[in-house]
Amino acid sequence: GVGNGAWRPNPDGRLPAGHNGPYQDLETPVRNTSHWLITFVKAFEITGDQRFAQAAHRAVSYLCSNDARPCGATFWHRKNPEKDSCNGLIGQAWTIEALAAAAKALHCDECQRVAESVFMLHPFDADLGLWRRVSVDGSYLSLDGTLNHQIWFAAAGALLLPSQDPRVGERVDRFVQRLVANLKMYPSGLIRHPLVGARPVQRYVVEIARQVVRLPWGAGREAIGRELYRKAIGYHAFNLYALALLHRSVPDDPFWQSVQMKRALRFVGTEEYAQDLQNNRYGYPYNPPGFEVPFALEVFEYGTCAEQERWASQQILLCYDSASRMMCLNTEDPLTHAARLYEATRLPDLSISAKLRG
């Protein structure tokens, strides 16, 4: 139900906003503009066509504008009044990631300055190796309790290196050093979705209320556990992609040779993972594991080129619409999913099979 005209950028550089996939949170154009900026930069690098460079410069102008940062603090990503408007650390990571790419490809010092400034706005707990969220108005919020948000924020910081501010690299290094403690997984090697020990306040509200009305202790926990497992499946490759970005910047840390890292990589080749990704709303229709897994396999030198091609082909087969020439099929949020093509920009030039073999 999305016409071809819906994909076009506005003259001011902004790209059309989606609704945060299955979360149904109305978003500002900041997220999708960030994603498309990376795609425009890559298209310019491949073709040399100045029209892609012009589109990238316009996107940069929007992301550095007052509309994107209305209070001069963090980027305004989300409009849901019941949630933070910065979209935790992940919203900020996506835009920092894009500005870092533009800084290098377009030789844009302003991109680097803005991205570093927003990164350093976030308080960092060096003991825990974790960041707090910062609202769009600049006020400090709590620690971000979602593991993939923390990993992606660290990866975004790593993309800013080398940085004029040495604290950027110091915080990224410390985050990686603490991964052994902070990254927890199921026995299978599947990375858990929340940070261990971090619980939403609503969980306490429900548990205390259950005691008062004398509901069985733990009632409803099974359903919560199932949903967290579904999210973990849908976000496993998303985590691996960000870990791969970190590995490129901090290649010598012992974590990359850890049992945890090896188990997480091994899990993507299991039948359990392949089966549980099917009909998972956080998988192919939202996070594109068909691009994320091959990138991780490439960076960590794990698996074969044929495996990478199979994953990428599956993503295209399920989600690419040849009529609109957009990655917008079988998704709750066509505008956002189309923008997430950008994750493929870091892949080697794989061959995509039009039809998968058995």
Side-chain angles (χ1 to χ4, degrees):
V2 179
N4 283 341
W7 313 105
R8 298 190 185 117
N10 281 7
D12 69 356
R14 74 183 69 194
L15 275 295
H19 52 70
N20 205 13
Y23 300 98
Q24 300 293 325
D25 297 323
L26 188 63
E27 293 187 308
T28 72
V30 171
R31 175 187 181 172
N32 285 351
T33 303
S34 301
H35 293 344
W36 280 112
L37 171 55
I38 295 175
T39 300
F40 294 155
V41 163
K42 184 65 174 181
F44 174 59
E45 289 177 350
I46 293 170
T47 67
D49 191 325
Q50 287 296 323
R51 288 172 293 187
F52 292 127
Q54 291 163 7
H57 281 292
R58 286 195 294 269
V60 164
S61 294
Y62 171 69
L63 293 175
C64 293
S65 71
N66 291 335
D67 283 347
R69 294 173 68 207
C71 300
T74 55
F75 297 99
W76 181 28
H77 270 259
R78 188 159 55 183
K79 294 183 177 181
N80 186 339
E82 297 180 358
K83 298 181 180 180
D84 61 38
S85 51
C86 57
N87 195 0
L89 292 175
I90 190 63
Q92 306 310 300
W94 280 323
T95 305
I96 292 169
E97 174 194 24
L99 291 176
K104 291 177 173 62
L106 305 177
H107 309 290
C108 177
D109 293 339
E110 177 69 359
C111 292
Q112 182 78 13
R113 186 194 66 77
V114 170
E116 285 187 19
S117 172
V118 173
F119 183 83
M120 289 305 303
L121 279 177
H122 293 76
F124 182 68
D125 187 318
D127 290 334
L128 295 175
L130 299 169
W131 283 273
R132 288 172 63 181
R133 299 168 297 139
V134 178
S135 182
V136 169
D137 66 7
S139 59
Y140 295 149
L141 304 174
S142 63
L143 185 87
D144 195 317
T146 301
L147 179 61
N148 74 72
H149 290 197
Q150 294 280 352
I151 296 174
W152 267 90
F153 193 75
L159 291 171
L160 294 172
L161 301 176
S163 169
Q164 290 187 344
D165 189 333
R167 293 175 298 172
V168 174
E170 289 166 4
R171 293 181 181 189
V172 170
D173 287 345
R174 180 58 180 162
F175 175 84
V176 176
Q177 290 166 10
R178 290 292 299 163
L179 269 174
V180 169
N182 289 329
L183 189 149
K184 302 298 182 184
M185 51 183 52
Y186 294 88
S188 62
L190 173 64
I191 297 172
R192 290 185 178 272
H193 192 69
L195 278 166
V196 172
R199 306 176 75 205
V201 94
Q202 290 89 342
R203 291 277 294 279
Y204 290 100
V205 171
V206 171
E207 288 188 2
I208 293 169
R210 281 202 168 106
Q211 290 188 74
V212 174
V213 298
R214 300 191 179 186
L215 285 178
W217 177 252
R221 283 187 175 183
E222 186 177 341
I224 292 171
R226 285 196 299 270
E227 177 62 13
L228 285 176
Y229 178 84
R230 278 192 291 270
K231 282 190 176 182
I233 287 288
Y235 281 88
H236 187 75
F238 186 61
N239 279 312
L240 289 178
Y241 191 103
L243 289 169
L245 290 174
L246 277 170
H247 179 268
R248 282 182 160 182
S249 293
V250 191
D252 298 325
D253 192 275
F255 176 77
W256 309 123
Q257 302 304 320
S258 69
V259 172
Q260 289 157 292
M261 193 66 235
K262 292 175 182 176
R263 287 172 61 205
L265 285 168
R266 192 180 306 123
F267 182 68
V268 299
T270 64
E271 186 63 24
E272 176 185 347
Y273 183 54
Q275 288 296 320
D276 288 341
L277 264 181
Q278 302 302 316
N279 302 314
N280 187 310
R281 66 194 307 209
Y282 305 106
Y284 292 108
Y286 181 52
N287 295 309
F291 301 150
E292 293 163 349
V293 172
F295 180 65
L297 296 181
E298 174 78 10
V299 171
F300 289 107
E301 300 180 349
Y302 191 93
T304 66
C305 181
E307 288 176 283
Q308 294 178 41
E309 291 180 344
R310 182 175 179 83
W311 277 102
S313 296
Q314 179 77 343
Q315 187 71 48
I316 295 297
L317 180 69
L318 291 173
C319 298
Y320 181 72
D321 176 27
S322 58
S324 66
R325 299 183 181 180
M326 289 286 169
M327 197 175 73
C328 60
L329 291 182
N330 300 312
T331 176
E332 298 177 52
D333 188 353
L335 290 169
T336 299
H337 203 51
R340 294 193 74 173
L341 173 73
Y342 92 92
E343 291 189 40
T345 63
R346 297 187 176 100
L347 293 177
D349 200 9
L350 302 173
S351 295
I352 301 298
S353 301
K355 189 176 181 180
L356 292 177
R357 301 180 182 88

